[in-house]
Amino acid sequence: MEFSTADFERLLMFEHARKACEAQYVKDPLDSENLLQWGGALLELAQFQPIPEAKLMLDNAVSKLEEVLTLNPGKHQALWCLGNAYTAHAFLTPDTDEAKVHFDKAADYFQKAENEDPGNEMYLKSLEVTARAPGLHMNIHENGMMMQQSLGGGGGGGGGGGGGPSASSNASGGKKNKKKNNDFTYDVCGWIILACGIVAWVGMAKSLGPPPPAR
């Protein structure tokens, strides 16, 4: 996956935010604002990871945000972020039924957030987007499967000896597939960020101070 300069700066910023939140958690594990910021930073960082790592990072974000709700059950920002985490998880899950479970959870959290802060335009927009998301999910994964079939093709390394060319093409194919996985995570999470507005966390990260300079 190739990042633009702006993407790389965002990656550094949210990694800096994540580390700052970790340090603050050691000092005060009951700081719900810190946990909220930590969860938000993990949501942003997830889009820069390959799919398996992105899912783990989203699970970690969910854990932090659920911790916020044990301390402050009416924290609508945490409810909204949980909706975003489950939406992202759904898009990274190829199975339609499993994805639907995540989309349903996302809609529930977005609705709870809007109930706590009625009329919030971002929450209403998130509900609207999530209602359309299952159809988009189906299109994305159907297109992805067709692309894999057309690129992955012919396969068998069956019996015969040696397989030099097929071994090298398999190796290069593996690299291409990994790159496609990374790009898919970035595109899907990027769509969620555009649609649901997770970019609001940029302001949060800036408030923690600038990241250390890149070397």
Side-chain angles (χ1 to χ4, degrees):
M1 190 194 311
E2 294 180 6
F3 299 137
S4 68
T5 302
D7 288 331
F8 186 65
E9 287 174 355
R10 284 180 61 237
L11 175 62
L12 285 179
M13 179 167 47
F14 285 106
E15 180 60 20
H16 172 63
R18 182 188 67 78
K19 288 180 178 177
C21 290
E22 271 186 24
Q24 174 60 20
Y25 185 76
V26 173
K27 297 176 189 173
D28 183 3
L30 301 180
D31 183 345
S32 63
E33 281 298 324
N34 181 64
L35 284 163
L36 179 61
Q37 291 174 1
W38 194 353
L42 289 167
L43 282 179
E44 283 280 0
L45 289 169
Q47 71 176 301
F48 297 101
Q49 311 302 319
I51 291 174
E53 286 85 348
K55 286 183 174 180
L56 288 174
M57 197 163 274
L58 289 169
D59 287 341
N60 197 6
V62 166
S63 171
K64 301 295 178 285
L65 295 165
E66 286 176 342
E67 214 172 324
V68 174
L69 295 179
T70 63
L71 297 168
N72 187 347
K75 192 80 169 173
H76 54 87
Q77 297 95 331
L79 292 164
W80 175 73
C81 284
L82 278 164
N84 282 309
Y86 280 112
T87 303
H89 222 307
F91 274 110
L92 299 180
T93 302
D95 183 80
T96 305
D97 292 335
E98 190 181 342
K100 185 179 184 307
V101 172
H102 292 304
F103 283 130
D104 288 346
K105 284 184 180 177
D108 185 49
Y109 277 115
F110 287 142
Q111 187 60 65
K112 286 178 179 175
E114 203 276 331
N115 291 346
E116 292 292 334
D117 187 19
N120 185 305
E121 288 186 14
M122 193 179 291
Y123 301 167
L124 292 170
K125 179 66 177 173
S126 298
L127 277 167
E128 179 190 326
V129 165
T130 303
R132 300 197 309 267
L136 181 64
H137 172 275
M138 192 174 295
N139 290 338
I140 287 171
H141 286 282
E142 280 178 357
N143 291 338
M145 283 174 65
M146 285 191 295
M147 198 182 297
Q148 273 189 346
Q149 286 167 1
S150 64
L151 291 174
S166 69
S168 64
S169 65
N170 283 345
S172 64
K175 287 178 186 173
K176 284 179 187 172
N177 285 341
K178 184 165 185 182
K179 182 179 186 302
K180 269 187 287 181
N181 270 354
N182 290 6
D183 290 346
F184 175 73
T185 311
Y186 186 72
D187 290 345
V188 162
C189 290
W191 179 84
I192 294 162
I193 285 168
L194 286 172
C196 297
I198 302 176
V199 190
W201 287 103
V202 172
M204 172 277 294
K206 284 181 179 172
S207 73
L208 293 172
R215 292 186 172 176

